[in-house]
Amino acid sequence: MKLLSIVLVILVSYDQIAVAYRILGIFPLHGPSHWVMMQPLMKGLAQRGHQVDVVSHFPQKKLIPNYTDISLVGSIPEVRNNVSASEVSLFGKFSMKYLTQMAGNNICELLGHPTLQNLIKNPPQDPPYDLVITEVFMAPCYLAFGRLLKVPMVGIITTSFHDWLNEVTGNPFNPAFIPNMFSTFEQNMDFKERLINFLMMNMISIQIHYYTSFQIEYVKKYFGIEDTSIRELYSDISLFLVNSHPALHGIRPYTPAIIEVGGLHIEDDGELSPEVQKWLDESKDGCVYFTFGSMVRIESFPKELMETFYTSFKKIAPVRVLMKVARKEDLLPGLPDNVMTQSWFPQVTVLKHKNIRAFITHGGLMGTQEAISYEIPMVGIPLFGDQRVNIQSYVKKKVAISLNSISDVTEEKLTSALNTILKDPIYRENAQKLSRLFLDRPMSALDTAIYWVEYAAKYGNFLQSPAVRFSWWQRRLLDVYAFLLFVVSAVLLAALFILRKIKRLLFGLRVYAKDSTVIKSKKNK
């Protein structure tokens, strides 16, 4: 029996090696909240036996077999624990032009970095790459790697599927029941909401395609690829992995090339320190976890707001609070006794703890998915981006209470929200139901993602919609409608012409007959 087990292990290992691919991961965006989805996928592929080379700002601290870092550290300012309250207010006012500049053109500039230029000009050949995986957001200039290396591409989307990608990927979409990603509408929209949704979806898509179209200059400059456009580069993507799920984002039509893997990033992220473990274990009346994510520094907010937090936390005692602050030395004095602060917590491990009762969050999709996975109801204080939309969707599912924005937070509202979440069992019960819907799958999100990545490496663009090869007017059948209109118009005109001829003929015969009768009458006289 032992010998048989050894043989099976050898056979499985041999099979993995026999079908192993060399994969290039390109992740130039320096946002840690985006990286948390990329990292487990690339590590999972390496563990599966594939050789992965990963370009990112987040090199691994420990060596991982089959995993090679191509580091961009220091090429762009650090944002982890480095976004202040004043910068948050700027993010909340951004336009599409600003967004595509900040997360698009600025990132495309990195293509001139020596590390990336060496990869572009001297890609490995022994063995060469079989597949490229990259994030699809505001820097489509990086899609040129697929064309340069002549291999299939997998695009990763850290939110729900972007509205502006439907057109360039041939994915069917209908603004009548699919809310755009920046709206808080439900899928059952009335006329006014459908009108607003239609206008928003199209205006945002037009702006983003317009502003990102200029990135073709980076493609020409750094890749030497001519005679193409940004829109054409999208057609090189064989597969999309999307951080969404019907339980959270509703039922949507997708082509087979769009795979929902919401929650792919959720995994144990470390052990609790003895201090935090003891604090949570002794929180018999429950504990609230409070963080504004990996970038925003809570301690940088105004004194009045911090005092509001302190007062509310003191009022919910003996319930305890874990609060993430980047720099304790900048924290306002007077922290209540029932609050513990740290510069970092292993978030998943914290949310898994049996004594966590509520989560105060800015509404980032990654963190809220983690909370749903572990049945934790939320108090939302959205700051920017898609956070307000995320929180509102949870409010409608009655697993969260929203305070709308940071400027709306008062001691009375926050205390009331916390007490409601902590004491009303309906929020916990709804979170449990939503968690079951979210997690009940035939395979884990990570295994699903790895399966389809390997599928794309094997079969390339097989799953890609044929609609990507059609013009926008062909996709909407405008040429067909125009032809049918022409045919109907031609038939009607022909019928009208014939009727007029018949009328004239009949009218002419009557006149002729009448004239003949008159002439005969005169002759008879």
Side-chain angles (χ1 to χ4, degrees):
M1 188 66 182
K2 185 177 180 181
L3 179 61
L4 179 61
S5 298
I6 294 172
V7 171
L8 286 174
V9 169
I10 292 172
L11 287 174
V12 170
S13 301
Y14 175 79
D15 181 62
Q16 286 185 337
I17 294 170
V19 297
Y21 298 106
R22 185 165 192 180
I23 300 171
L24 174 63
I26 302 281
F27 309 111
L29 190 65
H30 56 312
S33 59
H34 289 242
W35 171 244
V36 296
M37 184 177 176
M38 320 304 169
Q39 178 174 252
L41 175 61
M42 302 312 292
K43 287 169 65 176
L45 288 166
Q47 290 167 1
R48 190 66 63 94
H50 302 296
Q51 183 179 348
V52 300
D53 298 341
V54 182
V55 178
S56 79
H57 302 269
F58 309 96
Q60 299 298 313
K61 296 178 180 178
K62 296 180 181 179
L63 290 177
I64 298 175
N66 304 322
Y67 187 111
T68 302
D69 278 305
I70 302 175
S71 177
L72 295 175
V73 170
S75 61
I76 202 166
E78 173 77 31
V79 294
R80 189 193 297 270
N81 287 333
N82 204 32
V83 176
S84 66
S86 58
E87 291 169 317
V88 166
S89 64
L90 289 175
F91 289 164
K93 299 174 183 176
F94 69 71
S95 62
M96 292 302 114
K97 182 178 181 180
Y98 177 72
L99 179 60
T100 52
Q101 177 64 42
M102 178 184 65
N105 294 1
N106 290 350
I107 303 302
C108 290
E109 292 283 359
L110 286 175
L111 287 167
H113 191 280
T115 300
L116 284 173
Q117 277 298 294
N118 181 58
L119 186 61
I120 290 170
K121 294 176 180 177
N122 303 293
Q125 299 298 329
D126 188 25
Y129 290 118
D130 300 294
L131 183 79
V132 172
I133 302 177
T134 189
E135 181 178 5
V136 179
F137 187 43
M138 293 294 161
C141 54
Y142 283 85
L143 299 179
F145 271 100
R147 189 158 298 192
L148 175 77
L149 300 172
K150 296 180 175 60
V151 297
M153 294 193 73
V154 172
I156 301 183
I157 299 176
T158 59
T159 61
S160 59
F161 196 71
H162 299 157
D163 304 329
W164 54 91
L165 293 179
N166 290 306
E167 185 70 30
V168 293
T169 59
N171 188 61
F173 70 100
N174 190 334
F177 70 94
I178 302 175
N180 78 82
M181 65 180 299
F182 292 107
S183 83
T184 57
F185 298 147
E186 295 184 12
Q187 290 196 302
N188 185 22
M189 292 178 273
D190 60 27
F191 172 77
K192 180 181 177 182
E193 290 171 335
R194 283 183 283 119
L195 175 62
I196 294 171
N197 190 57
F198 171 79
L199 294 174
M200 283 183 66
M201 184 177 288
N202 283 282
M203 286 304 298
I204 290 170
S205 296
I206 289 169
Q207 288 182 74
I208 288 177
H209 285 308
Y210 173 74
Y211 290 124
T212 57
S213 67
F214 298 106
Q215 292 179 15
I216 197 63
E217 297 304 318
Y218 295 105
V219 174
K220 293 177 182 178
K221 179 179 179 181
Y222 294 118
F223 290 91
I225 297 176
E226 303 283 346
D227 301 323
T228 190
S229 67
I230 292 297
R231 278 180 174 256
E232 289 176 6
L233 290 177
Y234 280 113
S235 65
D236 293 344
I237 303 176
S238 303
L239 183 78
F240 288 91
L241 300 176
V242 186
N243 189 28
S244 63
H245 188 276
L248 305 185
H249 298 94
I251 308 301
R252 303 184 179 208
Y254 288 132
T255 70
I258 298 173
I259 309 298
E260 293 189 283
V261 290
L264 180 153
H265 69 289
I266 300 173
E267 59 180 354
D268 286 338
D269 53 355
E271 295 182 357
L272 298 173
S273 68
E275 180 185 17
V276 176
Q277 184 71 57
K278 184 173 184 293
W279 176 270
L280 284 174
D281 290 343
E282 293 177 353
S283 300
K284 301 302 181 183
D285 296 290
C287 186
V288 175
Y289 177 51
F290 177 24
T291 177
F292 278 159
S294 58
M295 299 190 299
V296 178
R297 294 191 292 115
I298 291 174
E299 67 277 14
S300 68
F301 283 86
K303 175 184 176 182
E304 294 76 15
L305 181 61
M306 296 307 299
E307 288 175 342
T308 295
F309 288 141
Y310 286 6
T311 303
S312 292
F313 295 158
K314 190 180 294 185
K315 284 189 173 182
I316 64 170
V319 174
R320 292 179 168 184
V321 178
L322 279 181
M323 182 167 71
K324 175 189 168 292
V325 297
R327 303 170 192 169
K328 290 184 180 181
E329 61 273 17
D330 294 339
L331 197 60
L332 185 72
L335 191 72
D337 293 337
N338 64 325
V339 180
M340 172 186 281
T341 65
Q342 296 280 349
S343 60
W344 178 84
F345 291 104
Q347 184 159 291
V348 171
T349 309
V350 166
L351 291 170
K352 285 174 61 177
H353 196 280
K354 63 181 181 179
N355 288 334
I356 292 293
R357 296 288 183 268
F359 180 29
I360 303 176
T361 173
H362 60 307
L365 185 56
M366 304 296 182
T368 57
Q369 285 180 342
E370 292 164 3
I372 292 303
S373 294
Y374 296 103
E375 305 172 356
I376 308 299
M378 295 167 277
V379 174
I381 308 175
L383 302 176
F384 55 81
D386 64 344
Q387 296 162 10
R388 180 170 170 268
V389 176
N390 296 336
I391 289 296
Q392 283 302 316
S393 71
Y394 295 124
V395 169
K396 290 167 183 174
K397 294 175 176 63
K398 209 165 184 181
V399 297
I401 294 174
S402 176
L403 299 186
N404 297 321
S405 74
I406 197 73
S407 59
D408 292 327
V409 176
T410 65
E411 181 274 320
E412 182 181 0
K413 289 180 180 178
L414 179 56
T415 304
S416 174
L418 285 170
N419 280 325
T420 301
I421 289 291
L422 291 167
K423 295 176 182 178
D424 188 344
I426 192 66
Y427 288 91
R428 188 79 176 196
E429 291 169 6
N430 287 337
Q432 290 169 348
K433 292 176 185 176
L434 187 58
S435 180
R436 289 194 292 271
L437 284 172
F438 182 54
L439 298 177
D440 194 350
R441 318 177 192 192
M443 289 195 297
S444 72
L446 180 58
D447 286 340
T448 301
I450 290 174
Y451 171 84
W452 287 109
V453 166
E454 293 172 341
Y455 191 96
K458 291 178 189 175
Y459 305 116
N461 288 350
F462 173 72
L463 296 175
Q464 190 181 72
S465 170
V468 299
R469 294 181 287 276
F470 285 45
S471 301
W472 66 269
W473 45 272
Q474 292 175 314
R475 205 174 294 137
R476 288 171 170 79
L477 292 177
L478 295 184
D479 52 344
V480 173
Y481 295 142
F483 176 75
L484 292 176
L485 181 62
F486 170 79
V487 170
V488 171
S489 300
V491 169
L492 290 174
L493 288 172
L496 183 61
F497 176 80
I498 293 170
L499 288 173
R500 283 180 176 175
K501 287 290 186 182
I502 294 172
K503 180 181 177 182
R504 287 175 183 172
L505 181 62
L506 292 175
F507 183 76
L509 288 173
R510 281 183 197 160
V511 171
Y512 176 76
K514 185 177 180 181
D515 291 344
S516 298
T517 303
V518 171
I519 291 169
K520 286 179 180 179
S521 298
K522 287 181 179 180
K523 286 182 177 180
N524 291 334
K525 287 180 180 179

